[in-house]
Amino acid sequence: MNRVLIPVSLSAPPVPLAADARVHRWGGETMGTTWSVVAVLPPSANGGGILQGIQAVLDGVIAQMSNWVPDSDLSRFNRAAPGSWHALPDDCFHVLQTALQVARDSGGAYDPSAGPLVDLWGFGPAPRRDTPPSADQVAQARQQCGWARIELDIGARRAQQPGGVSLDFCAIAKGFAVDAVARYLDAQGLSHHLTEIGGELRGHGVKPDGMPWWVALEAPPGVQRESDEQTLVALHGLSVATSGDYRRFFDSGGRRYAHTIDPRTGYPASHALASVTVLHAQCMMADALSTALTVLGPQAGMEHARRHGIAACFLVRHPDGFDEHLSPAFAAMLA
């Protein structure tokens, strides 16, 4: 039997479905992964025009926030001279503000300035590696990091480059892009849709049969549930993101080094936590919080989730399998 999660503040669909409404699907590639959108369209809707609009939204996020693209706004900021101030596009500035708030709340477990460490460990634009860097290299990269070094001029929507800071939005921009596509669909008068980028999702409204957008929560390889039980969540005004140590990693000397870097130490997070799934109204927040909780680990992560009312599911490895720990906000959604 499947477990079911339902938003605590479940509301009626925003717009009644037309009798002749139809489901349309689009998909493609972006940000080094794939994306897909499912939406309920009236017969008069232009599916081709909507596809172009979605692609424009995704291209816009890349142009502003990708550190893999040399001429993006983020890349230009990363190369800027020490002490210089830079006006950022509204979306990029909003993501930076949010990232710094998550960094502040988590005590630096999430740090958008950890780009040099991500590159050093081979998980950014720099070449991949199959052996860990030296302690001296880690110490040198850490000197370039520090979210608290970044000053903002909120009125002018500017950020100061303190010198050598390399912002990396990989743990938040994908979630923002999901939100941005959802907002675009709403603006087109499409009130019933499901957006997914690289496994992160946000749903609005319902399907033509009146049922919500049911999504099975991601689980690490090797997780066995009784009778193939799945945990299904109704993404009705809700987003989901999962951070896990099984996605990108390399093995060296009998040890696995996963892509989630602890900015406080400079090394990949090293504890028994296999994955963290976060449910939140905003996919951007679910994205960043799942990373922060992964770095914090099972105990500190659960304490942080309790204190901030975060709906989170922690899967912790042990010799005989996995243990699951649910935050109160997550457990409250169980039907």
Side-chain angles (χ1 to χ4, degrees):
M1 180 180 295
N2 291 329
R3 292 191 307 177
V4 174
L5 292 161
I6 298 175
V8 174
S9 58
L10 188 64
S11 59
V15 177
L17 287 164
D20 54 356
R22 57 194 172 89
V23 173
H24 201 102
R25 302 173 184 271
W26 303 269
E29 296 183 357
T30 189
M31 303 180 189
T33 187
T34 59
W35 68 267
S36 64
V37 169
V38 184
V40 181
L41 272 64
S44 59
N46 179 1
I50 293 170
L51 172 60
Q52 292 178 354
I54 294 171
Q55 192 62 59
V57 170
L58 296 173
D59 291 346
V61 174
I62 291 172
Q64 290 188 31
M65 306 178 207
S66 175
N67 58 341
W68 297 70
V69 176
D71 61 349
S72 72
D73 293 283
L74 196 69
S75 293
R76 287 196 292 270
F77 176 86
N78 289 345
R79 294 192 303 267
S84 57
W85 284 89
H86 301 270
L88 298 173
D90 287 349
D91 287 346
C92 189
F93 188 84
H94 175 55
V95 170
L96 177 56
Q97 268 190 300
T98 303
L100 292 176
Q101 185 61 54
V102 175
R104 188 173 299 110
D105 291 344
S106 66
Y110 169 79
D111 186 347
S113 74
L117 288 167
V118 175
D119 281 351
L120 177 65
W121 284 92
F123 298 120
R128 294 182 64 88
R129 62 187 306 148
D130 54 14
T131 57
S134 68
D136 287 344
Q137 289 175 312
V138 172
Q140 184 177 0
R142 285 190 66 202
Q143 291 178 358
Q144 298 175 265
C145 304
W147 62 270
R149 298 173 58 204
I150 302 169
E151 292 186 41
L152 299 182
D153 179 347
I154 296 176
R157 307 189 78 74
R158 299 187 306 162
Q160 186 188 51
Q161 167 60 268
V165 162
S166 180
L167 294 173
D168 184 330
F169 286 171
C170 287
I172 194 171
K174 191 167 59 172
F176 174 83
V178 170
D179 292 333
V181 170
R183 286 192 294 270
Y184 165 76
L185 296 171
D186 286 339
Q188 304 309 303
L190 305 179
S191 302
H192 307 276
H193 48 82
L194 178 69
T195 301
E196 178 267 338
I197 301 178
E200 299 182 3
L201 302 104
R202 175 169 170 167
H204 286 253
V206 295
K207 297 185 291 184
D209 61 4
M211 295 295 289
W213 302 102
W214 290 109
V215 172
L217 296 189
E218 180 180 324
V223 172
Q224 299 294 326
R225 302 192 185 277
E226 294 182 9
S227 303
D228 295 323
E229 176 191 79
Q230 289 183 309
T231 300
L232 303 178
V233 57
L235 290 188
H236 182 78
L238 199 62
S239 302
V240 59
T242 298
S243 178
D245 66 359
Y246 51 88
R247 287 184 168 176
R248 297 173 61 200
F249 59 88
F250 65 85
D251 293 318
S252 178
R255 179 178 173 184
R256 172 165 295 184
Y257 297 89
H259 75 285
T260 302
I261 307 297
D262 185 343
R264 303 167 303 177
T265 66
Y267 289 83
S270 57
H271 41 58
L273 191 55
S275 72
V276 177
T277 295
V278 172
L279 300 173
H280 196 282
Q282 298 178 52
C283 197
M284 172 178 64
M285 290 299 296
D287 192 3
L289 289 172
S290 65
T291 298
L293 296 178
T294 296
V295 170
L296 286 170
Q299 288 78 32
M302 179 61 77
E303 181 182 342
H304 185 79
R306 288 177 181 273
R307 187 167 59 250
H308 293 274
I310 300 167
C313 172
F314 298 77
L315 281 180
V316 183
R317 285 191 178 87
H318 60 78
D320 299 320
F322 297 84
D323 285 333
E324 181 183 74
H325 303 279
L326 308 180
S327 72
F330 191 99
M333 294 188 193
L334 287 171

